[in-house]
Amino acid sequence: MLAQGFASALSPINLLFALIGCIAGTLVGVLPGLGPTAAIAMLLPLTTMLPPAPAIIMMAAIYYGAMYGGSTTAILVNIPGEASSVPTAIDGYQLNQQGRGGPTLGISAITSFVAGTIGVVGLTFFAPLLSQVALAFGPPEYFALAFLGLSLIISLSGRALVKGILAAAFGLLTAMIGLDPLTGVARLTFGQPLLMAGIEFVPIIMGLFAISEVLLNVESSVRGILSDQKIEWLPSWQDLKETWAAMLRSGFLGFFMGLIPGCSPAVTSFMAYDMEKRFSKHPEKFGKGAMDAVAAVEGANNATASGGFVPLFSFGIPSGPALAVLLGGFMMYGLQPGPRLMTEQPQLLWTIIASMYIGNVMLLILNLPLVGVWARMALIPFPILGPLIVAFTFIGAYSLRFQMLDIWIVLLFGVIGYLMRKFGFPVAPMVLAAVLAKMLETALMQSLVISQGSALIFFTRPISVVFMIVALFFIARGVWLQIRTPAANIALESDV
Amino acid sequence: MLKTLRAGDGASGVFLIVVGAIALAASTTIAAGAGGRLHPRTLPIAIGALLVLGGAWLIVRARSKQYQDQAIDWPDRAGWRNWYAALALMALYAALMQALGFITTTFIFIAAFIWYFGKFKPWVALAWGFGTVAFIYLLFIRLLQMELPAGWLAF
């Protein structure tokens, strides 16, 4: 069936629309804030004149193509357009400042190809089998997964554990502004109707990273991100040798996490960052410019995107908003993804899967030559680059809900991010907490309804108990390390 | 001025106590919802309390004799002038966006920023401003049909 799928995917019209999707996806990924969901939604009406195969191939290519491009601004100008690119920005931007922006972008593109391919191979051979795993996830498992994600705060805080926990608490509190997820009661809105819809985490991320970066640069009259004109363009064999294991590890992690509906690439990318820090021969480099950190995050990011197609194709369950819009694309053609699609439209399904192999190759060919073009951005004088960063950040924030409130949030968190850096508060735990808050709280409330108020539900189900034990182990280990070395508790600087 | 991390931790502690106290006070008025086993105010109260306690811990720790202090790398006088100028420009950009429109304010902001911080000739700053808004107009407004604030251009 896959061979027939390739025959169909290699037809000129399908190839053309895969290419259009890959280019659009890369562009969407590069532009901060303009995510694949909005791009697919905008293009959906335009695809009505096309047959289903090229239309869905193009929309799928936008989705996984955006994952390739998402790292570019995070690495070059410290703007993570999506939460999943935050760990990329931590080390990628440091590498760029060291004149290694080109090789970092190259590694990011190669990792995206490797992990994307792992994801598509997994989708090809294990979709029906693995999708059973996804169905085993209920609210207790989601809570345990979010709790496991939150436990990574210990690792992300480095030596500033107390400050990391407080930053995370501040992030959680911010996410609780708005309506209670289960009962719909307004919380912490202070009677302001604008706050009813809550605060999105994307403007928070943009402020914490992009605007605070601008403020840091203007205070020291920086002339450019790179003061030295010598920059490297492509990754060396040494870079590839150092990162290949991280690519594979994160590719597999990302794919398996992608099977879980609702598990966003953001959660997986933080997990991959933490996992790689434990595997790495030089964990001390993490946060200061580790190439394997970038490879791990990008690998997990892309493989999660591919893994998300498994529950979509097998059961019609979208893993996130972008795949939900893609599901809408299927339904527009009268197709219902799920077991029936596999039996009634196998030709179409395998054409789409085959096109993903081709799309990943296209993206690698597109992205590697672009590395040099993007890397030159580091040579633009900062007085020119700075306002461009601000303008595109504002567009990205505004486009989320078309509200001025989001632009003011960007500015507010820009100042908060600046002060956090000066006072040695790690920023990543705050982002992680803000991203996980909704999933954590919703799953907690639903689980307690199921168990009639008993918290033991998290320890009586096999998947959730494993996540809870691992999370508690991470927390206990982190606290023990802090107690054993009390001097480190008095943080002079944060690692991340 | 908070010259060292010790002073910075003290100030951060006070800030977090204030934020936590506001959250606690605001949480007491949250009404009970129907259908949930957990009161909607439980988590905000828990986090507010954590912030208050954590803030107090930061203050206590900052006063400890074992605290390894370090100077904060603040900018010099010229640096602060630039910092305030950049923040004021960004705030003005946001404040005028609805009235003047995204395109107009972006043009003014980019040209002003480049001229002030880059010390370029005015025509260079204006050219960058014009080029950027042309790109934004073509890509975001014409091609992607994004509804950015139109301001006075909406007539």
Side-chain angles (χ1 to χ4, degrees), chain B residues 36-104:
Chain B
R37 303 286 303 194
L38 197 67
H39 196 289
R41 69 176 169 222
T42 307
L43 287 178
I45 284 180
I47 293 165
L50 177 63
L51 287 174
V52 170
L53 292 173
W57 169 248
L58 279 184
I59 295 170
V60 170
R61 203 183 59 175
R63 295 174 72 87
S64 153
K65 284 181 183 168
Q66 292 171 322
Y67 192 94
Q68 296 169 22
D69 206 2
Q70 184 179 300
I72 298 176
D73 180 27
W74 291 116
D76 57 15
R77 185 173 291 210
W80 274 120
R81 203 167 46 237
N82 282 346
W83 193 91
Y84 283 119
L87 190 62
L89 271 175
M90 286 190 275
L92 271 174
Y93 180 21
L96 297 174
M97 200 178 281
Q98 290 279 45
L100 299 182
F102 191 87
I103 291 294
T104 313

Side-chain angles (χ1 to χ4, degrees), chain A residues 213-406:
Chain A
E213 190 62 37
V214 171
L215 291 171
L216 278 170
N217 279 297
V218 295
E219 71 168 28
S220 49
S221 303
V222 169
R223 305 303 304 168
I225 290 171
L226 285 178
S227 49
D228 189 350
Q229 295 289 304
K230 276 198 301 185
I231 53 172
E232 298 168 53
W233 299 114
L234 285 171
S236 61
W237 281 115
Q238 184 63 27
D239 291 327
L240 288 169
K241 257 173 66 182
E242 278 179 13
T243 51
W244 70 269
M247 290 180 196
L248 294 178
R249 272 193 292 267
S250 61
F252 285 109
L253 173 80
F255 175 68
F256 284 105
M257 297 302 286
L259 299 177
I260 305 165
C263 180
S264 72
V267 179
T268 322
S269 61
F270 276 104
M271 280 185 170
Y273 186 87
D274 183 69
M275 181 182 80
E276 206 49 47
K277 198 173 174 182
R278 290 168 204 276
F279 273 104
S280 176
K281 289 175 187 158
H282 45 80
E284 72 286 350
K285 275 194 187 173
F286 276 60
K288 299 180 182 78
M291 194 68 90
D292 41 353
V294 175
V297 175
E298 286 307 304
N301 209 349
N302 283 273
T304 306
S306 302
F309 283 102
V310 173
L312 181 74
F313 288 162
S314 308
F315 296 104
I317 302 171
S319 290
L323 287 179
V325 180
L326 188 63
L327 177 66
F330 272 94
M331 293 167 94
M332 210 170 69
Y333 287 98
L335 303 164
Q336 176 63 53
R340 282 180 61 198
L341 186 71
M342 288 194 168
T343 51
E344 290 174 6
Q345 297 275 350
Q347 177 68 25
L348 173 69
L349 192 69
W350 288 105
T351 301
I352 295 165
I353 293 174
S355 80
M356 291 183 186
Y357 285 95
I358 299 163
N360 270 296
V361 176
M362 280 180 179
L363 282 163
L364 185 70
I365 295 169
L366 270 175
N367 278 274
L368 272 182
L370 281 175
V371 161
V373 177
W374 297 127
R376 289 194 82 83
M377 274 172 75
L379 296 176
I380 297 174
F382 190 79
I384 292 173
L385 197 57
L388 299 181
I389 290 172
V390 177
F392 285 103
T393 301
F394 279 11
I395 292 177
Y398 186 80
S399 67
L400 290 170
R401 300 187 293 187
F402 301 102
Q403 282 184 4
M404 284 305 293
L405 175 70
D406 288 326

Side-chain angles (χ1 to χ4, degrees), chain A residues 18-341:
Chain A
L19 181 65
I20 292 171
C22 288
I23 293 170
T26 304
L27 185 67
V28 160
V30 170
L31 294 170
L34 189 68
T37 312
I40 297 172
M42 283 171 190
L43 289 172
L44 204 55
L46 301 179
T47 57
T48 47
M49 60 195 84
L50 294 172
I56 293 168
I57 283 173
M58 182 177 74
M59 288 187 278
I62 292 172
Y63 176 60
Y64 56 78
M67 299 296 159
Y68 270 69
S71 59
T72 309
T73 49
I75 291 167
L76 293 176
V77 284
N78 206 17
I79 306 179
E82 304 276 339
S84 55
S85 301
V86 168
T88 309
I90 293 168
D91 281 84
Y93 186 62
Q94 293 281 340
L95 284 161
N96 187 36
Q97 286 182 311
Q98 294 159 21
R100 307 220 65 218
T104 311
L105 285 170
I107 286 292
S108 167
I110 293 166
T111 308
S112 300
F113 171 73
V114 171
T117 306
I118 288 173
V120 182
V121 170
L123 176 65
T124 308
F125 293 104
F126 307 111
L129 180 72
L130 293 175
S131 51
Q132 298 297 330
V133 179
L135 281 190
F137 264 70
E141 285 74 22
Y142 280 113
F143 172 78
L145 177 66
F147 187 67
L148 175 62
L150 267 191
S151 73
L152 303 180
I153 286 166
I154 305 279
S155 158
L156 288 171
S157 300
R159 285 175 290 163
L161 181 60
V162 175
K163 288 181 175 179
I165 291 170
L166 288 172
F170 191 73
L172 281 174
L173 189 70
T174 313
M176 276 171 195
I177 295 172
L179 299 180
D180 174 79
L182 201 67
T183 60
V185 172
R187 298 184 303 183
L188 308 175
T189 56
F190 302 97
Q192 298 296 317
L194 263 180
L195 292 177
M196 288 284 196
I199 292 181
E200 288 277 337
F201 58 78
V202 173
I204 295 177
I205 294 170
M206 289 178 161
L208 288 175
F209 283 85
I211 301 299
S212 72
E213 190 62 37
V214 171
L215 291 171
L216 278 170
N217 279 297
V218 295
E219 71 168 28
S220 49
S221 303
V222 169
R223 305 303 304 168
I225 290 171
L226 285 178
S227 49
D228 189 350
Q229 295 289 304
K230 276 198 301 185
I231 53 172
E232 298 168 53
W233 299 114
L234 285 171
S236 61
W237 281 115
Q238 184 63 27
D239 291 327
L240 288 169
K241 257 173 66 182
E242 278 179 13
T243 51
W244 70 269
M247 290 180 196
L248 294 178
R249 272 193 292 267
S250 61
F252 285 109
L253 173 80
F255 175 68
F256 284 105
M257 297 302 286
L259 299 177
I260 305 165
C263 180
S264 72
V267 179
T268 322
S269 61
F270 276 104
M271 280 185 170
Y273 186 87
D274 183 69
M275 181 182 80
E276 206 49 47
K277 198 173 174 182
R278 290 168 204 276
F279 273 104
S280 176
K281 289 175 187 158
H282 45 80
E284 72 286 350
K285 275 194 187 173
F286 276 60
K288 299 180 182 78
M291 194 68 90
D292 41 353
V294 175
V297 175
E298 286 307 304
N301 209 349
N302 283 273
T304 306
S306 302
F309 283 102
V310 173
L312 181 74
F313 288 162
S314 308
F315 296 104
I317 302 171
S319 290
L323 287 179
V325 180
L326 188 63
L327 177 66
F330 272 94
M331 293 167 94
M332 210 170 69
Y333 287 98
L335 303 164
Q336 176 63 53
R340 282 180 61 198
L341 186 71

Side-chain angles (χ1 to χ4, degrees), chain B residues 92-93 96-112 126 129-130 132-134 136-137 141 148-155:
Chain B
L92 271 174
Y93 180 21
L96 297 174
M97 200 178 281
Q98 290 279 45
L100 299 182
F102 191 87
I103 291 294
T104 313
T105 41
T106 302
F107 174 75
I108 296 169
F109 170 74
I110 288 184
L126 291 172
F130 181 77
T132 308
V133 294
I136 289 171
Y137 176 75
I141 297 175
L148 294 168
W152 66 278
L153 291 173
F155 56 84

Side-chain angles (χ1 to χ4, degrees), chain A residues 370-445:
Chain A
L370 281 175
V371 161
V373 177
W374 297 127
R376 289 194 82 83
M377 274 172 75
L379 296 176
I380 297 174
F382 190 79
I384 292 173
L385 197 57
L388 299 181
I389 290 172
V390 177
F392 285 103
T393 301
F394 279 11
I395 292 177
Y398 186 80
S399 67
L400 290 170
R401 300 187 293 187
F402 301 102
Q403 282 184 4
M404 284 305 293
L405 175 70
D406 288 326
I407 288 183
W408 288 110
I409 288 169
V410 168
L411 267 185
L412 174 67
F413 277 87
V415 176
I416 290 174
Y418 172 86
L419 292 173
M420 284 177 77
R421 294 201 208 187
K422 291 289 180 188
F423 293 155
F425 279 81
V427 174
M430 188 177 188
V431 173
L432 183 63
V435 170
L436 285 175
K438 275 213 164 58
M439 179 177 166
L440 183 92
E441 196 183 9
T442 309
L444 173 66
M445 289 181 158

